[in-house]
Amino acid sequence: MDHALRVLEFDRVLEAIGERAVSEAGRSKVRALRPLPDMASARRQLAAVDELQAILGLGEGWTPGPIPELATTLRRLAIEDAWLDPPELLACGDAMAAGRAARRLAERLDPDGLPALWAGRLWGDPGLEKRIAATFDDTGGVADGASAELRSIRRGLATRRGRLVEDLTRFARSLPDRIRVPDASVTVRNGRYCVPVRREGKGTVGGLVHDASASRRTLFIEPARAIEAMNDIRELELREAREVDRILRDLSSAVRSHASELAASYGALVELDALRARALFALELEASPPIFADATADGIRIRGARHPLLALDSGGAVPFNLDLSSSERVLLVSGPNAGGKTVFLKTLGLICALAQSGVMPPLHAASRLPFFRRFFAVIGDEQSIDASLSTFGAQARNLAEILHEADERDLVLFDEIGSATDPAEGGALAAAALRRLAEQARLTVATTHLGDLKRLGDERAAAVNASLEFDGGRLEPTYRLVRDRPGRSYALVIAARLGVPEDVLADARARLGPEHVSLDTLLARLEAERGEVEDLRARLERRAGETAECERDLASRETALAASEREAVRSREAARQEVLREARERVEAAIARLESQYEDGDEAARRKAQRAARGEVERALRVSSRTLRNMGDARTPTGGGGMPLVGEAVRWSASDRPARLVEIRGRHGVIEIGGLRLTVPLGDLAPHPDTEIDLAAHGGSGDSGAKADRRPELRVQTEIDLRGLRADEVDAALTPALDSAVVGDLPWLRVIHGKGTGALRVRVRQLLSEDSRIRLFRDGGANEGGRGVTVVEFE
């Protein structure tokens, strides 16, 4: 398998993925990936990548800080009484801080997934982190404040060093000019403070010589007067070193007591870093996890596959689709040179190897791949001078190994099978080998130029022809995979384009056998017909797009017109109501005046008031009727005619109970019936024959507007859209829709929840299963929305 992964350039892809890790350990973890031995492990790894990809896609994912290299440090911690140096202790503190920061990721993870397992191992001790940080200064050295003893020692050192430098400076200035070095200052040699003196002054100064200049003319001497002070300084320096060692030893011991937690946390950080690199790679390439198919029962379905390295280069990869049944076990790919056959072969091998290694390959959703046990690949020129193997010899050796070892769980990839030797013999050997592999291996994919092999797909049901499309007019590859059609080589056409003399080309054409000419002519005709079909399809798609645009425009206009009509109806109804209000006010005023006349008991005055009131009411009715007719509504304020008015008793065709019309909305009316408000078509309403009916006795509210306004309004509708809701918001939206559908006596209701993660669909079906009014529910058909819709049918 290692040979196959090498020729597929598997490690180059892993190197590109590893660049997205923040730690060298994470990059190493990615580079070490290999196809897993079982399907369950690969599925779990892909699910982990998919989960973290979804989190990163929201823009709120884990962005780790620096993850230090701790492998060597952890090995030193395992040695009893060994202590760590400052950089190692600082790295331990950084690792603890990174672990604590990454633990915040856990609350958004699936508790049963791999990321949650690793996040659960993250650890950090804030107290120990602060102690480590306080022990060291900005340069990485042990800080003065690491202990009171160290602070005292360093203060003493600073004082003694300052005094000694001042004393030696005065001494150097007092020396005679003949032995003093101009502009020289006190310096340190071998850890001792020295005065630069000319060589001839050695005897005059005395003391110890610690160094000399490059010219040997200047000596660096520690005067006798400085020896005692320097010894005191040296003693303090030794005390400082002992105190620093003690501090590092104590701090190392504190870290060692948590070595197991630190090691587990560091391992989890590296795993999460490598997982994050794979998730970023998948997010960048818009990759989806494939479905692993049963090795023998299920076929292959590949959608939108791209070469991973080419896909990283925007526009550098042409995706391909491939469908093979479980019985189709050999795929022969042909076409011209530089047409993309080798890239296709490597892409197919890479997407399978990456998926089985826990890396989401650049595929579209719902792609289905077999889970292969081993990978065999013969790609490129593998000749070896040392082994005395020619190109064909190397191919033959690899073919022999594959025929001996490959079985029904393996993938075999062979580039230019049967080439590099006599075409007749090479083609015969290749055909025989492919027949054998059709019975032996799960899938064999081979590229070829040999015409005899192109007929193999017609001879055996297990073999399928395919080609990488080539534009014969422009002599450029399109890199599109075409199934069930062998490809032409275009060798003579390309040779002509590159300047081969025409007489040579004519001689070559004459030497082609009739079978080759016949096959090439047939393929050319198929390519031409395919081009015509593609042109026709493009025109149909273009017309379909134009038609859809027209339909959208018409729908938009219809919506606008309907809105305009509704607004006109609302305006007309408001005006009509205003006319009725004025008529009612005039009638009420007339009645009030009549009642005031009745109080004085004068019969003549009473009769006069009655006549005046009656005239006032009649005038009000005539004015309102004339106004309504001018508005296009011939109905009188009293509700005469076939169309009921707001406030009247009505009969709804769907019920025998009396109702009251409380509002008109375009072509629909809002009625009160049985304590509910319903919106129904106006065509379903008629005036109730009993105009004196007591609506309150039948559940109506009479004229009590405040009470009516508090009643629930159920709008009868045939579908409800829940997309965009959370699962916990489904109940409040779905239950009223079910009640409305039952009250409206609908036979069915269409619930739109979308596909997404499936959480809405699960909650919808849980609610439906608990409702006794529902006879059954099912997925929507192909023309009803598929799995994104649930259709409910009522009892």
Side-chain angles (χ1 to χ4, degrees):
M1 183 183 293
D2 288 341
H3 172 268
L5 297 180
R6 179 177 59 80
V7 298
L8 289 173
E9 300 179 291
F10 183 75
D11 288 337
R12 280 190 61 199
V13 179
L14 295 184
E15 188 71 35
I17 299 172
E19 292 175 358
R20 288 150 179 79
V22 300
S23 67
E24 180 57 36
R27 287 188 283 273
S28 297
K29 179 71 68 174
V30 172
R31 289 193 293 264
L33 291 173
R34 288 296 180 270
L36 295 164
D38 62 278
M39 194 182 301
S41 299
R43 282 174 174 161
R44 196 174 189 204
Q45 289 286 335
L46 289 175
V49 176
D50 194 30
E51 180 181 8
L52 198 55
Q53 179 198 25
I55 295 176
L56 293 174
L58 297 175
E60 303 173 355
W62 172 49
T63 303
I67 301 176
E69 174 57 47
L70 280 191
T72 303
T73 301
L74 291 171
R75 286 195 294 269
R76 289 193 62 188
L77 279 177
I79 303 173
E80 194 66 31
D81 295 332
W83 69 82
L84 306 178
D85 56 28
E88 291 174 321
L89 287 167
L90 285 169
C92 290
D94 291 342
M96 294 179 205
R100 284 195 307 109
R103 271 195 313 199
R104 293 194 295 268
L105 183 68
E107 61 189 25
R108 287 178 285 172
L109 298 175
D110 178 0
D112 297 325
L114 275 179
L117 174 65
W118 292 324
R121 298 176 183 175
L122 296 172
W123 170 83
D125 186 333
L128 186 53
E129 292 172 38
K130 291 180 180 178
R131 181 179 171 186
I132 292 173
T135 299
F136 303 101
D137 56 26
D138 294 339
T139 66
V142 177
D144 295 349
S147 72
E149 175 69 11
L150 183 61
R151 182 184 291 108
S152 175
I153 292 171
R154 287 182 173 174
R155 284 177 179 173
L157 274 171
T159 300
R160 284 169 171 76
R161 285 168 177 162
R163 290 173 181 172
L164 180 57
V165 170
E166 291 176 359
D167 182 59
L168 290 179
T169 300
R170 287 193 298 270
F171 173 74
R173 291 173 180 170
S174 68
L175 294 175
D177 292 342
R178 65 183 181 82
I179 64 174
R180 188 174 66 223
V181 177
D183 299 326
S185 60
V186 178
T187 185
V188 178
R189 290 291 188 275
N190 298 324
R192 312 287 288 192
Y193 286 90
C194 301
V195 175
V197 179
R198 296 186 186 278
R199 176 173 287 277
E200 54 268 26
K202 174 182 177 183
T204 302
V205 175
L208 302 175
V209 178
H210 286 284
D211 200 359
S213 66
S215 65
R216 314 301 293 176
R217 294 177 181 177
T218 300
L219 300 178
F220 296 93
I221 299 175
E222 180 184 7
R225 63 190 297 165
I227 292 176
E228 183 177 354
M230 192 64 234
N231 287 340
D232 291 342
I233 290 174
R234 183 60 182 158
E235 183 179 349
L236 284 175
E237 289 175 344
L238 292 174
R239 286 179 58 195
E240 177 191 26
R242 287 193 296 271
E243 180 62 13
V244 167
D245 287 347
R246 184 194 67 78
I247 292 170
L248 294 178
R249 187 166 51 251
D250 289 350
L251 193 55
S252 298
S253 179
V255 174
R256 182 177 289 107
S257 65
H258 297 287
S260 59
E261 295 98 322
L262 181 60
S265 180
Y266 175 67
L269 274 174
V270 172
E271 292 285 359
L272 285 171
D273 186 24
L275 175 63
R276 179 177 176 273
R278 287 182 275 162
L280 287 173
F281 177 78
L283 193 63
E284 185 176 343
L285 298 188
E286 300 180 350
S288 299
I291 301 168
F292 285 125
D294 182 85
T296 56
D298 294 329
I300 299 171
R301 182 177 64 238
I302 296 176
R303 294 292 180 271
R306 293 166 291 158
H307 191 288
L309 296 178
L310 294 178
L312 290 174
D313 180 13
S314 179
V318 177
F320 70 84
N321 300 332
L322 177 63
D323 288 277
L324 293 173
S325 68
S326 58
S327 61
E328 293 171 334
R329 302 165 72 94
V330 173
L331 180 66
L332 279 169
V333 183
S334 53
N337 290 321
K341 298 188 300 299
T342 303
V343 172
F344 164 76
L345 204 66
K346 289 184 176 182
T347 303
L348 183 60
L350 280 173
I351 61 176
C352 294
L354 289 172
Q356 293 182 206
S357 302
V359 175
M360 284 206 296
L363 291 170
H364 290 172
S367 293
R368 184 174 62 237
L369 302 173
F371 192 89
F372 298 108
R373 183 174 66 97
R374 289 179 301 181
F375 297 82
F376 296 94
V378 181
I379 299 174
D381 187 354
E382 300 187 28
Q383 64 176 316
S384 171
I385 296 176
D386 294 336
S388 299
L389 285 175
S390 64
T391 301
F392 176 74
Q395 287 190 2
R397 182 188 62 183
N398 290 327
L399 178 59
E401 178 185 349
I402 291 170
L403 291 172
H404 280 101
E405 296 187 16
D407 64 23
E408 62 181 9
R409 293 173 294 173
D410 298 337
L411 172 65
V412 177
L413 305 173
F414 215 120
D415 192 25
E416 299 297 348
I417 187 169
S419 62
T421 188
D422 178 75
E425 294 186 2
L429 176 62
L434 292 175
R435 287 192 182 95
R436 171 77 172 271
L437 289 171
E439 304 293 335
Q440 187 171 322
R442 170 63 185 89
L443 177 63
T444 301
V445 183
T447 66
T448 184
H449 283 290
L450 300 176
D452 289 343
L453 287 184
K454 298 176 184 179
R455 298 185 180 90
L456 189 64
D458 299 328
E459 297 176 7
R460 299 181 62 84
V464 177
N465 270 314
S467 61
L468 271 300
E469 195 175 57
F470 193 82
D471 189 327
R474 295 182 299 171
L475 291 183
E476 293 179 356
T478 66
Y479 304 109
R480 293 175 53 195
L481 182 69
V482 181
R483 191 199 138 115
D484 296 322
R485 193 191 75 188
R488 300 169 60 192
S489 68
Y490 286 93
L492 298 182
V493 178
I494 294 174
R497 177 67 63 89
L498 296 176
V500 175
E502 179 57 35
D503 59 329
V504 175
L505 295 173
D507 189 15
R509 294 189 192 97
R511 293 175 181 274
L512 293 175
E515 292 184 357
H516 184 282
V517 173
S518 176
L519 177 60
D520 199 59
T521 302
L522 176 61
L523 293 177
R525 187 165 66 248
L526 287 175
E527 287 184 6
E529 291 176 355
R530 177 181 175 83
E532 293 175 0
V533 171
E534 290 296 331
D535 289 343
L536 180 59
R537 179 188 299 172
R539 289 198 298 271
L540 289 175
E541 290 178 352
R542 187 164 54 252
R543 289 186 180 179
E546 294 171 355
T547 302
E549 182 64 28
C550 290
E551 290 177 350
R552 286 192 294 270
D553 183 57
L554 288 175
S556 175
R557 293 186 181 185
E558 183 178 353
T559 301
L561 181 59
S564 176
E565 290 178 351
R566 287 194 298 270
E567 182 61 30
V569 169
R570 281 195 293 268
S571 299
R572 191 163 57 248
E573 178 63 20
R576 194 171 68 83
Q577 293 294 335
E578 179 63 22
V579 170
L580 294 177
R581 185 189 62 78
E582 292 177 356
R584 283 195 297 270
E585 289 177 353
R586 295 179 65 180
V587 171
E588 291 295 331
I591 294 174
R593 286 194 298 272
L594 177 64
E595 289 176 346
S596 65
Q597 293 293 332
Y598 265 89
E599 291 177 357
D600 58 14
D602 186 345
E603 183 63 26
R606 192 178 296 121
R607 284 196 297 271
K608 183 179 179 181
Q610 286 176 343
R611 287 193 299 271
R614 187 179 297 110
E616 185 67 23
V617 169
E618 290 175 352
R619 281 193 296 275
L621 291 176
R622 284 195 299 271
V623 170
S624 61
S625 297
R626 189 182 308 112
T627 303
L628 290 175
R629 281 195 300 271
N630 293 335
M631 293 169 54
D633 191 338
R635 292 174 292 174
T636 64
T638 61
M643 181 62 68
L645 297 178
V646 172
E648 290 184 343
V650 295
R651 181 186 298 280
W652 183 28
S653 62
S655 174
D656 292 331
R657 301 181 61 180
R660 185 171 69 92
L661 181 62
V662 297
E663 184 181 351
I664 294 178
R665 299 177 179 175
R667 299 177 182 178
H668 292 76
V670 179
I671 62 171
E672 287 184 356
I673 181 172
L676 300 175
R677 279 193 173 189
L678 304 177
T679 302
V680 299
L682 285 175
D684 294 344
L685 300 178
H688 200 284
D690 186 359
T691 57
E692 302 298 329
I693 191 168
D694 183 2
L695 290 173
H698 294 276
S701 61
D703 293 329
S704 180
K707 182 177 179 182
D709 289 342
R710 292 193 297 268
R711 290 176 177 171
E713 179 178 341
L714 300 181
R715 185 177 181 84
V716 180
Q717 51 188 350
T718 59
E719 71 176 28
I720 179 171
D721 192 345
L722 305 179
R723 290 175 294 183
L725 300 182
R726 298 193 305 272
D728 57 359
E729 297 173 337
V730 168
D731 302 39
L734 181 58
T735 301
L738 293 172
D739 294 339
S740 297
V742 171
V743 171
D745 200 24
L746 294 180
W748 53 269
L749 177 67
R750 185 169 174 262
V751 182
I752 305 172
H753 45 67
K755 299 177 182 177
T757 62
L760 290 181
R761 181 176 183 269
V762 170
R763 183 54 186 159
V764 165
R765 297 202 164 207
Q766 182 181 353
L767 288 174
L768 296 179
S769 63
E770 298 169 356
D771 197 328
S772 60
R773 299 171 297 178
I774 296 172
R775 184 169 64 87
L776 62 87
F777 54 87
R778 58 178 175 82
D779 284 338
N783 60 342
E784 295 176 316
R787 289 177 58 82
V789 169
T790 295
V791 178
V792 181
E793 297 183 12
F794 298 98
E795 293 288 354

